[in-house]
Every structure is written in structure tokens, then in C-alpha cells.
């Protein structure tokens, strides 16, 4: 929904009611300076009681909707065959168009399973930009990451709408130099976290898909911040201004062979998942889930979190909040 200002501009606003508040305190400057010194000027060593505005914590701190919380009360805690997992599968199919789902406790857990399944000594993984845990899992399994971002990505004052794009010519060169057999997958991150959340365009993903098909390489999408990327495509890319976020997300998903995400960033407090339409991929990954996470229908997290993710995914693409 948009609010019309007196000068004629329209700005988007979120439609929701805040029903719960949490008390905070403002420590004095002297107290804060002392805390910073005692923490060795390391924000990770500060206690929350010494912090007024926390700009470090992001994942898992988003408020959940009343519907998400209510769904937690009907969670089916069965070890296998849980109806909550069935509802999660249905949400994944609706939002990402993928029928095979492997729940995990966090996004980095998905990276661990993907790394152990696909990356080996000498592997090269092209990406539009790395994330810290992604880089670690690839390196721990003997591979290396190639960041193939476009030159515009590093221009702070540039107004380029899609700084998260992968440079296609660099991708072609990387595949020829490393050899397609040494590239387990091409990784696209939506949006690129360490580039300041910069998105890639649908056209760029389409070009990456063409190159991947040319050399027989699969595409893995880190969809932890995909909602933002889909929104930027809608408002910045010609031809998508009238498309729904849901249809944009499905178009993106259809060009990717494997999708994984952190539920803590998508719209829940915990969890994550890997999903695909490829039976061979699913069978390759599923055997590691019980070893590192949990059974195939709960992935090492409480079933109530599965319910929360199932609802949260659908709310991620809901553009009619407040217009009901």
C-alpha cells in the first residue's frame, strides 16, 4: 500500500498493527564507553544490556505475524509423516515451484550439505558474490570461490540498478579456464548480502542460465534475501512493473536447479531448507540430512518452526496486506 504525500509523491508503507512492545534502556555515555573498552572494541563481545540500538543482530529478529504464531499451536510433532511438513512442502511448491524439500536448522546447514555433496578438491564455484559461511564450506571441502561481479558493483556512487549481476564474459572465461568438469555449480545470491543487498536482474539470471546450459552446469540459488531481489526486479526492470512478486519469484526459481535459504532471513525465527525438482539431486542430498540435521521431515528444528516457515513463505509474497 502507498501513502500519498502533500507534494504528490507516493511512498510504500507496511500495513500492520503492533500489539507487543519491549522495554529498552539507554545506558549513559560513560557506561557505553566502559562496555566498549571491556569488550576490546569488538561488537560481538558487547552485552545487549549495554546496547540501546542493536545494528549487529539481524537474522531471526523479524517479528512474526499473528497467523505464524497461531500455526505453531497446531504443529504435528510426529517424527515422521508430519502434517506440518506436508504444509511446508505445499508452501515451497507455491512460492518456489519445487516439489522436493529438505528442511535444515539454518541456511549454513544447507551450505554444509551442498558443499559435502558437490564440492571436492580442485572444485571452482563461480558466484556473483560470496557470503562468509558459503566461502567457508566451499573451502573446507577443497574448493575455491570465484567472485564474478560486474565492475559497477564496486562503484559506491553508481546508480546502476542491478549491482548484484554476474559478469557473463567473466563467467565464460572462468568455465573455460577451470574446465566445466571442475565446476560443481554456479551460485547466485539474491540479494548479495556483502555487497549491501544489491540485486541481480532477471535478464542477468537468464544469461547465466544460457551459459550453464551450454556447459551442462547446474545453478544453485541462495534465496535467503530473494524477496528483496524480486521486489527490485518489479520496480527497476522494464517489463516487470505489473508482475506480482509471486510470479517474479517463480520465474527466478524456474531458472535454478537447487534453491536453499535461511528461514531466519526469509520470514521466520529459525530454520531453512534446500529444494529442487530434480529427483537425482534430491536423492544425492537426502542421505546427509539425518547425519547432520535430523530426519527428512523436520531437519533438526522443532516442528512448530516448520509451521512458521510454511506460513511465512506465503506471507513473503503477499502484496495485499492491508487491502483485505
Amino acid at each position: 500500500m502507498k501513502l500519498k504525500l502533500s507534494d504528490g509523491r507516493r511512498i510504500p508503507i507496511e500495513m500492520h498493527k503492533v500489539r507487543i512492545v519491549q522495554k529498552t534502556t539507554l545506558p549513559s555515555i560513560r557506561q557505553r564507553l566502559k562496555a566498549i573498552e571491556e569488550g576490546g572494541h569488538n561488537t560481538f563481545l558487547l552485552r545487549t544490556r549495554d546496547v540501546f540500538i542493536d545494528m549487529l543482530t539481524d537474522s531471526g529478529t523479524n517479528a512474526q505475524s499473528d497467523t505464524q504464531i497461531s500455526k505453531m499451536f497446531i504443529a504435528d510433532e510426529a517424527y515422521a509423516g508430519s502434517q506440518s511438513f506436508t504444509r511446508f512442502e505445499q508452501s515451497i511448491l507455491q512460492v518456489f515451484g519445487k516439489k522436493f524439500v529438505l528442511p535444515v536448522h539454518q541456511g549454513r546447514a544447507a551450505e554444509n550439505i551442498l558443499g559435502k555433496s558437490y564440492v571436492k578438491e580442485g572444485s571452482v564455484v563461480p558466484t556473483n558474490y560470496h557470503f562468509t559461511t558459503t566461502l567457508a564450506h566451499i573451502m573446507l571441502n577443497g574448493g575455491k570461490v570465484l567472485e564474478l561481479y560486474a565492475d559497477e558493483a564496486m562503484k559506491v556512487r553508481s546508480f546502476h540498478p542491478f549491482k548484484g549481476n554476474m559478469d557473463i564474459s567473466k563467467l565464460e572465461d572462468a568455465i573455460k579456464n577451470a574446465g566445466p568438469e571442475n565446476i560443481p555449480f554456479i551460485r547466485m545470491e539474491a540479494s548479495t548480502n556483502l555487497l549491501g543487498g544489491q540485486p541481480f536482474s532477471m535478464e542477468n539470471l537468464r544469461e547465466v542460465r544460457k551459459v550453464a546450459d551450454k556447459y551442462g552446469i547446474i545453478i544453485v540459488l541462495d534465496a535467503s534475501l530473494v524477496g528483496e531481489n524480486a521486489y527490485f526486479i518489479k520496480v527497476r526492470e522494464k517489463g516487470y512493473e505489473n508482475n506480482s512478486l509471486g510470479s517474479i519469484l517463480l520465474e527466478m526459481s524456474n531458472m535454478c536447479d537447487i534453491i536453499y535459504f535461511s528461514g531466519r532471513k526469509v520470514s521466520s525465527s529459525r530454520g531453512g531448507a534446500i529444494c529442487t525438482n530434480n529427483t537425482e539431486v534430491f536423492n544425492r542430498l537426502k542421505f546427509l540430512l539425518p547425519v547432520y540435521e535430523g530426519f527428512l521431515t523436520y531437519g533438526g528444528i522443532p516442528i512448530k518452526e516448520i509451521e512458521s516457515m510454511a506460513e511465512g513463505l506465503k506471507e513473503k509474497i503477499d502484496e495485499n496486506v492491508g487491502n483485505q
Side-chain angles (χ1 to χ4, degrees):
M1 187 172 183
K2 293 188 177 181
L3 176 67
K4 187 175 181 180
L5 302 180
S6 58
D7 60 3
R9 287 183 299 146
R10 292 179 176 271
I11 58 172
I13 58 172
E14 293 187 45
M15 299 298 296
H16 60 260
K17 295 178 181 178
V18 178
R19 296 179 179 272
I20 299 176
V21 295
Q22 184 175 6
K23 184 180 178 181
T24 60
T25 57
L26 176 57
S28 67
I29 291 177
R30 181 171 295 179
Q31 288 174 305
R32 282 177 279 157
L33 282 173
K34 183 181 178 182
I36 290 170
E37 290 169 357
E38 290 177 348
H41 298 272
N42 184 341
T43 54
F44 282 91
L45 298 180
L46 290 174
R47 296 166 297 186
T48 54
R49 72 184 188 189
D50 298 320
V51 177
F52 179 53
I53 300 177
D54 183 354
M55 299 184 72
L56 173 67
T57 309
D58 55 359
S59 298
T61 60
N62 45 293
Q64 296 186 84
S65 70
D66 51 356
T67 308
Q68 276 183 289
I69 293 172
S70 66
K71 293 288 186 181
M72 289 182 170
F73 288 98
I74 62 168
D76 176 6
E77 293 285 354
Y79 188 83
S82 168
Q83 291 304 299
S84 294
F85 177 71
T86 299
R87 288 188 281 271
F88 185 46
E89 283 184 309
Q90 291 168 348
S91 288
I92 291 286
L93 185 62
Q94 176 184 339
V95 176
F96 292 118
K98 306 299 185 189
K99 58 184 179 181
F100 299 121
V101 186
L102 295 169
V104 293
H105 82 272
Q106 215 170 324
R108 66 196 63 190
E111 292 174 335
N112 177 48
I113 290 174
L114 289 169
K116 289 185 179 300
S117 298
Y118 285 97
V119 181
K120 62 182 186 299
E121 196 69 36
S123 290
V124 175
V125 178
T127 182
N128 53 339
Y129 208 75
H130 83 279
F131 185 66
T132 50
T133 55
T134 316
L135 177 65
H137 282 117
I138 290 170
M139 291 179 65
L140 285 170
N141 287 286
K144 70 174 183 178
V145 167
L146 287 182
E147 294 171 337
L148 307 180
Y149 50 84
D151 294 338
E152 287 290 333
M154 295 301 163
K155 296 179 181 177
V156 178
R157 296 185 180 277
S158 165
F159 287 95
H160 192 283
F162 295 105
K163 292 184 182 181
N165 280 353
M166 179 175 282
D167 189 302
I168 301 302
S169 62
K170 291 179 184 177
L171 176 60
E172 283 270 8
D173 290 342
I175 295 172
K176 291 174 184 176
N177 291 334
E181 69 279 5
N182 293 316
I183 298 180
F185 54 82
I186 298 168
R187 176 183 176 273
M188 293 293 287
E189 184 175 315
S191 309
T192 48
N193 193 312
L194 298 184
L195 281 179
Q198 295 293 336
F200 58 77
S201 69
M202 192 75 79
E203 179 58 28
N204 183 247
L205 181 58
R206 198 173 292 117
E207 291 299 314
V208 172
R209 181 73 262 176
K210 289 178 183 177
V211 175
D213 290 341
K214 178 180 176 180
Y215 294 99
I217 302 171
I218 64 174
I219 296 178
V220 172
L221 174 67
D222 179 345
S224 297
L225 300 173
V226 76
E228 291 84 342
N229 205 119
Y231 174 78
F232 283 127
I233 287 174
K234 181 180 177 68
V235 299
R236 294 179 180 178
E237 190 163 358
K238 186 177 180 181
Y240 287 93
E241 57 274 4
N242 296 319
N243 290 40
S244 67
L245 290 178
S247 66
I248 292 171
L249 192 48
L250 279 175
E251 186 174 343
M252 294 171 68
S253 300
N254 288 339
M255 284 188 272
C256 301
D257 303 283
I258 300 173
I259 295 175
Y260 76 92
F261 63 87
S262 167
R264 292 169 66 89
K265 293 182 177 67
V266 172
S267 61
S268 307
S269 60
R270 294 291 184 275
I274 306 170
C275 56
T276 182
N277 279 333
N278 190 309
T279 306
E280 183 180 339
V281 169
F282 176 72
N283 288 334
R284 182 173 184 171
L285 299 175
K286 72 179 182 182
F287 296 106
L288 289 179
L289 201 73
V291 177
Y292 293 103
E293 297 299 302
F295 192 64
L296 300 179
T297 55
Y298 78 92
I301 58 174
I303 295 293
K304 65 180 182 179
E305 301 291 354
I306 296 285
E307 286 281 3
S308 177
M309 282 198 294
E311 178 61 28
L313 282 171
K314 291 184 290 185
E315 292 178 359
K316 189 78 173 179
I317 58 173
D318 183 5
E319 299 177 69
N320 297 312
V321 176
N323 298 327
Q324 312 256 333

